[in-house]
């Protein structure tokens, strides 16, 4: 019995929704937004909805959570008003909207929702009003009075001049011969109208906006005795052409037409689906340098990438865009589609000149600027749009920029402009070689790099890859921004100039006069072989200044004791390669002596055991060297270094 009661309790819990209501089908986005508007309006009484009105316009929206707090739609400020929710009305002397609207037929309901002009035109036809007042079950998408008044005069004249054919057909196109509520209006579906069974396109967006042939539902689900009325903000018309056919007949798409034909995308644009074509006009193509445009038009892959970047995977009507949103293209890239007042924007720029041209398989927006994806650009073009322009200028001065504009498969390791804040290097043979060593001989993607990988450069060097928890580095330089992958090359934005290794750790130490005493100590301790052979070491190398800071008797005692000297020197050698860009806040690095070194970085100053490093990232073929101005003391080791002065030379 106890088990049975637990099962019954569980079943009841699963059948109960929020606030104790019985759980039913999931609400549509429109219903969720309406529900939120009810919640925001409930303090004003039952069945009151909060509505946001864009200041300076007649545009009103039921409010969702984000819009409620931002108080903006398409970047424009809004004011909140409180109105009766659909289907309810006020009662004199009572709070809110307690009374349900009395049901009447479709014709009378249109007047209630603000479509009296539709009533007027219905009266002018001989057949439609009796049908709207008679038995049956219909849906009418009734244009608002403002929608009718905004029609071009010539269009309206053609309708009213032949009321029993043109006007009647236009009104019947707004009707469906069954009751259809918003919860049945699914994104991408079509409804069969009462005019020659012509299709009506429905889109129901995640933000709660519902459109009918790109006309927005203003007031939805107004029940009538013989159907339902939805108030919309435009007069809609039949759709006959697909996207490709519209491109064929529009004069402003002459260049686009040729590009689509050359790419073979015409089969996509005339096929089934629901797309958004951001259609570049002839003017948009003319803005592109002739050399760039000819290169893309002559490269089938780049051309296809270009055009795919103008096709969104779903139909996006202008009325559905009330804030910025990321939309995926056929090419797999994302575009930020947004709005600023009445203007639509792409990636923040108002480039859409004509919107909501409907096709049977989607919608077209005219744009006056070409959206060239990275995948259709040369490395030189990619770099010109990034924060690496100084590196490009240096390449041009060195005569090496042609590598970035051709068809070579390359990855350019481009230092940020900030790297050169103290001035640009002089161009000589050595600098040219260094620049060539910033070009890797294949087109890479950083997400596929792995620690220990080696990369061949045009300058003949092999560069090593180091992967750390929060950074990805190539030699001493770490990647500072996401890859930009072009047609033939990839751009890696780097946080400093590369310094390719020039020899082993011992070669580095021997070649720098600052380390002559350390080299002698290493020889005495018998560690030269270790630091000359292949390996992965991080060496914190005390300078001559560090040794000279020790009292002479202590230094002599240390140098005379091979065992203790070896122990001290091994404590200065980490057993992996740690470049400064991989340190983060703190890394505990195991030394060859066995104890761990605490390596930290703060405000661009690297420290080891809290002692500042004088110079970082001196690269060697088997490790990396840091110059330090102190001799480090292993934990618990006091025999030789206890008398060293605490004052340290700082960088």
């Amino acid at each position: 019995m106890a088990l049975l009661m637990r099962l019954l309790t569980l079943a009841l819990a699963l059948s109960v929704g929020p606030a104790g209501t019985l759980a039913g089908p999931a609400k549509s986005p429109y219903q969720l937004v309406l529900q939120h508007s009810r919640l925001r309006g409930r303090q004003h009484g039952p069945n009151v909805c909060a509505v946001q009105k864009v200041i300076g316009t007649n545009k009103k929206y039921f409010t969702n959570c984000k819009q409620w707090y931002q108080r903006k739609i398409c970047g424009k400020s809004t004011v909140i008003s409180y109105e009766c929710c659909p289907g309810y009305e006020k009662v004199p002397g009572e709070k809110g909207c307690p009374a349900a609207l009395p049901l009447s037929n479709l014709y009378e309901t249109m007047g209630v929702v603000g479509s009296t002009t539709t009533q007027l035109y219905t009266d002018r036809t001989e057949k439609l009003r009796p049908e709207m007042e008679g038995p049956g079950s219909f849906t009418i998408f009734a244009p608002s009075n403002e929608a009718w008044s905004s029609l071009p005069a010539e269009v309206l004249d053609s309708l009213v001049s032949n009321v029993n054919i043109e006007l009647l057909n236009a009104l019947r196109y707004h009707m469906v011969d069954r009751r259809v509520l918003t919860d049945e209006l699914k994104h991408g579906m079509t409804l069969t109208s009462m005019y020659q069974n012509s299709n009506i396109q429905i889109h129901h967006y995640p933000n709660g906006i519902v459109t009918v042939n790109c006309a927005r539902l203003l007031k939805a689900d107004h029940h009538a005795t013989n159907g339902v009325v939805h108030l919309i903000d435009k007069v809609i018309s039949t759709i006959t052409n697909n996207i490709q056919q519209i491109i064929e007949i529009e004069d402003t798409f002459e260049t686009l037409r040729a590009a689509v034909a050359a790419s073979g995308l015409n089969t996509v644009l005339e096929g089934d689906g629901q797309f958004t074509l951001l259609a570049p006009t002839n003017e948009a193509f003319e803005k592109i340098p002739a050399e760039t445009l000819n290169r893309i038009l002559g490269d089938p892959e780049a051309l296809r990438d270009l055009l795919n970047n103008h096709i969104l995977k779903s139909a996006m009507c202008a009325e559905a865009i009330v804030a910025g949103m990321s939309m995926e293209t056929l090419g797999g890239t994302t575009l930020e589609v947004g709005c600023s007042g009445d203007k639509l924007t792409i990636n923040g720029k108002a480039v859409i000149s004509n919107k909501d041209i409907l096709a049977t398989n989607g919608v077209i927006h005219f744009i006056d600027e070409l959206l060239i994806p990275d995948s259709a650009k040369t490395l030189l073009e990619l770099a010109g749009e990034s924060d690496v322009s100084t590196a490009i200028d240096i390449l041009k001065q060195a005569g090496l920029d042609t590598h970035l504009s051709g068809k070579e498969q390359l990855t350019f390791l481009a230092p940020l402009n900030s790297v050169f804040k103290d001035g640009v290097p002089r161009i000589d043979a050595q600098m040219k070689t260094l620049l060539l060593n910033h070009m890797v001989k294949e087109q890479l993607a950083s997400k596929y790099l792995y620690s220990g990988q080696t990369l061949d450069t045009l300058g003949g060097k092999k560069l090593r890859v180091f992967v750390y928890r929060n950074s990805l580095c190539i030699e001493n330089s770490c990647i500072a921004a996401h890859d930009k992958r072009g047609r033939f090359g990839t751009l890696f934005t780097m946080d400093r100039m590369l310094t390719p290794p020039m020899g082993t750790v011992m070669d580095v130490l021997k070649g720098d006069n600052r380390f002559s005493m350390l080299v002698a100590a290493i020889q005495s301790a018998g560690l030269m072989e270790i630091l000359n052979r292949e390996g992965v070491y991080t060496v914190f190398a005390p300078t001559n200044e560090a040794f000279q800071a020790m009292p002479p008797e202590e230094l002599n005692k240390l140098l005379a004791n091979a065992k203790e000297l070896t122990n001290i020197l091994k404590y200065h050698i980490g057993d992996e390669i740690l470049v400064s860009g991989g340190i983060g806040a703190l890394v505990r690095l195991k030394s060859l002596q066995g104890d761990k070194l605490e390596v930290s970085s703060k405000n661009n100053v690297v420290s080891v055991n809290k002692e500042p490093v004088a110079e970082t990232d001196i690269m060697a073929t088997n490790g990396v060297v840091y110059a330090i101005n102190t001799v480090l003391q292993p934990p618990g080791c006091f025999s030789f270094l206890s008398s060293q002065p605490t004052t340290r030379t700082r960088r």
Side-chain angles (χ1 to χ4, degrees):
M1 180 62 73
L3 177 60
L4 178 60
M5 290 300 295
R6 284 199 296 271
L7 290 173
L8 287 173
T9 301
L10 177 60
L12 180 61
L14 291 173
S15 67
V16 173
T21 60
L22 290 178
K27 291 182 181 295
S28 69
Y30 171 82
Q31 291 169 326
L32 290 173
V33 170
L34 184 61
Q35 178 177 289
H36 181 265
S37 289
R38 278 180 173 274
L39 288 173
R40 296 298 180 183
R42 62 185 174 183
Q43 61 182 336
H44 295 272
N47 306 313
V48 174
C49 283
V51 177
Q52 284 184 272
K53 180 181 178 182
V54 181
I55 295 174
T57 73
N58 291 321
K59 287 192 171 184
K60 293 182 179 180
Y61 297 82
F62 291 121
T63 178
N64 61 34
C65 190
K66 183 177 181 180
Q67 291 167 358
W68 174 264
Y69 286 108
Q70 290 184 341
R71 292 291 201 273
K72 288 183 182 296
I73 289 175
C74 284
K76 298 296 184 181
S77 297
T78 62
V79 292
I80 303 295
S81 61
Y82 297 92
E83 303 178 359
C84 290
C85 296
Y88 295 91
E89 65 179 351
K90 292 180 176 295
V91 174
E94 294 193 32
K95 187 177 182 181
C97 305
L101 284 169
L103 282 183
S104 53
N105 58 53
L106 283 176
Y107 179 83
E108 292 178 0
T109 303
M110 287 194 297
V112 172
V113 302
S115 187
T116 54
T117 305
T118 308
Q119 281 183 314
L120 173 66
Y121 289 136
T122 299
D123 286 336
R124 292 197 183 185
T125 68
E126 295 178 359
K127 301 178 181 179
L128 201 53
R129 178 169 178 175
E131 198 169 336
M132 287 188 177
E133 292 178 328
S137 181
F138 306 100
T139 297
I140 182 165
F141 298 102
S144 67
N145 296 337
E146 292 80 6
W148 285 107
S149 64
S150 64
L151 271 183
E154 63 273 16
V155 174
L156 192 56
D157 288 345
S158 69
L159 293 176
V160 298
S161 64
N162 194 344
V163 294
N164 286 315
I165 297 179
E166 296 295 337
L167 183 59
L168 177 62
N169 291 342
L171 290 171
R172 283 189 176 278
Y173 183 63
H174 289 73
M175 297 179 66
V176 177
D177 64 354
R178 64 185 179 90
R179 184 190 302 262
V180 185
L181 301 176
T182 51
D183 60 355
E184 192 181 338
L185 298 177
K186 306 299 183 184
H187 191 69
M189 72 179 291
T190 58
L191 293 174
T192 302
S193 77
M194 292 175 61
Y195 169 63
Q196 296 184 352
N197 292 327
S198 299
N199 285 336
I200 302 172
Q201 289 184 3
I202 304 296
H203 293 99
H204 196 147
Y205 297 94
N207 60 9
I209 289 177
V210 182
T211 63
V212 181
N213 283 14
C214 284
R216 179 168 66 93
L217 266 64
L218 303 176
K219 295 179 180 179
D221 293 341
H222 281 271
H223 291 272
T225 55
N226 57 347
V228 62
V229 177
H230 304 291
L231 187 71
I232 60 176
D233 70 348
K234 294 184 183 71
V235 178
I236 61 175
S237 56
T238 55
I239 308 167
T240 56
N241 292 326
N242 59 44
I243 292 175
Q244 179 62 31
Q245 288 169 328
I246 294 173
I247 292 173
E248 294 289 345
I249 61 179
E250 282 285 345
D251 291 338
T252 191
F253 293 147
E254 182 181 356
T255 309
L256 175 62
R257 190 157 54 241
V260 169
S263 69
L265 277 174
N266 50 316
T267 55
V268 173
L269 298 180
E270 64 190 11
D272 294 334
Q274 282 293 303
F275 306 107
T276 300
L277 175 63
L278 304 170
T281 61
N282 295 337
E283 179 187 357
F285 283 98
E286 289 166 3
K287 291 179 180 179
I288 302 301
E291 182 182 354
T292 300
L293 184 59
N294 290 335
R295 176 183 61 77
I296 294 175
L297 293 176
D299 181 343
E301 186 172 333
L303 178 59
R304 195 171 184 87
D305 285 350
L306 171 71
L307 295 176
N308 279 336
N309 199 50
H310 290 75
I311 305 171
L312 304 182
K313 286 185 173 181
S314 60
M316 179 56 64
C317 297
E319 283 296 331
I321 302 170
V322 295
M325 61 181 74
S326 294
M327 301 290 295
E328 188 175 0
T329 69
L330 284 189
T333 58
T334 56
L335 298 175
E336 286 295 320
V337 182
C339 52
S340 177
D342 292 332
K343 295 183 180 297
L344 290 187
T345 61
I346 304 294
N347 294 339
K349 301 172 71 174
V351 297
I352 294 179
S353 55
N354 193 6
K355 56 193 178 185
D356 286 347
I357 311 303
L358 286 167
T360 56
N361 57 349
V363 60
I364 298 176
H365 304 300
F366 292 28
I367 62 171
D368 54 18
E369 189 170 306
L370 213 56
L371 308 172
I372 305 178
D374 288 350
S375 58
K377 295 176 181 175
T378 65
L379 262 175
L380 197 62
E381 290 164 349
L382 287 177
E385 300 168 359
S386 305
D387 192 20
V388 295
S389 56
T390 305
I392 296 303
D393 290 341
I394 295 171
L395 276 181
K396 289 179 178 178
Q397 292 174 35
L400 300 176
D401 55 302
T402 53
H403 289 288
L404 305 187
S405 56
K407 295 183 178 181
E408 288 180 274
Q409 297 277 335
L410 293 177
T411 299
F412 180 38
L413 311 177
L416 285 163
N417 289 340
S418 57
V419 172
F420 306 102
K421 62 181 183 296
D422 296 326
V424 297
R426 185 172 62 88
I427 305 299
D428 54 19
Q430 186 176 356
M431 177 52 60
K432 285 186 178 181
T433 301
L434 179 59
L435 291 172
L436 288 171
N437 283 324
H438 283 73
M439 300 181 199
V440 178
K441 288 182 178 180
E442 57 183 308
Q443 187 174 15
L444 301 170
S446 62
K447 64 182 178 181
Y448 298 126
L449 296 180
Y450 56 90
S451 200
Q453 184 178 2
T454 58
L455 312 174
D456 293 320
T457 73
L458 293 185
K461 287 290 183 181
K462 288 187 178 293
L463 305 178
R464 295 161 297 178
V465 176
F466 305 118
V467 179
Y468 302 104
R469 183 174 297 277
N470 295 310
S471 54
L472 176 60
C473 305
I474 298 173
E475 294 299 335
N476 61 304
S477 185
C478 300
I479 296 175
H482 292 297
D483 307 1
K484 282 184 170 290
R485 187 176 179 86
R487 175 67 180 91
F488 298 105
T490 300
L491 180 73
F492 286 180
T493 302
M494 311 301 291
D495 66 355
R496 65 195 70 193
M497 287 283 285
L498 286 165
T499 54
M502 302 302 292
T504 66
V505 168
M506 278 310 302
D507 292 332
V508 169
L509 297 178
K510 286 180 177 179
D512 192 325
N513 291 332
R514 292 178 297 172
F515 303 122
S516 58
M517 294 183 70
L518 174 62
V519 169
I522 290 171
Q523 290 172 332
S524 297
L527 296 177
M528 280 189 63
E529 183 182 350
I530 291 176
L531 298 181
N532 261 326
R533 68 190 183 198
E534 289 186 8
V536 286
Y537 306 113
T538 297
V539 178
F540 295 95
T543 61
N544 295 341
E545 182 181 342
F547 285 106
Q548 291 164 358
M550 297 175 60
E553 64 276 11
E554 295 293 338
L555 176 60
N556 292 334
K557 191 182 297 185
L558 173 63
L559 295 176
N561 188 323
K563 181 179 179 181
E564 192 63 32
L565 179 61
T566 301
N567 187 59
I568 293 291
L569 292 178
K570 282 187 174 182
Y571 183 62
H572 288 73
I573 305 171
D575 65 356
E576 61 181 281
I577 296 178
L578 177 65
V579 298
S580 62
I583 294 170
L586 176 68
V587 172
R588 300 186 73 228
L589 180 66
K590 186 179 179 182
S591 71
L592 296 187
Q593 176 260 356
D595 289 316
K596 291 188 175 180
L597 297 156
E598 291 193 353
V599 188
S600 60
S601 179
K602 185 177 181 181
N603 298 327
N604 295 318
V605 175
V606 174
S607 299
V608 55
N609 292 358
K610 299 182 180 179
E611 296 292 341
V613 170
E615 184 180 349
T616 64
D617 298 331
I618 307 170
M619 304 307 295
T621 55
N622 58 347
V624 59
V625 175
Y626 292 78
I628 58 174
N629 289 325
T630 185
V631 178
L632 302 175
Q633 179 176 335
C637 179
F638 300 103
S639 56
F640 289 97
L641 303 178
S642 58
S643 60
Q644 284 197 78
T646 57
T647 302
R648 309 296 184 194
T649 302
R650 293 187 174 270
R651 188 178 176 184

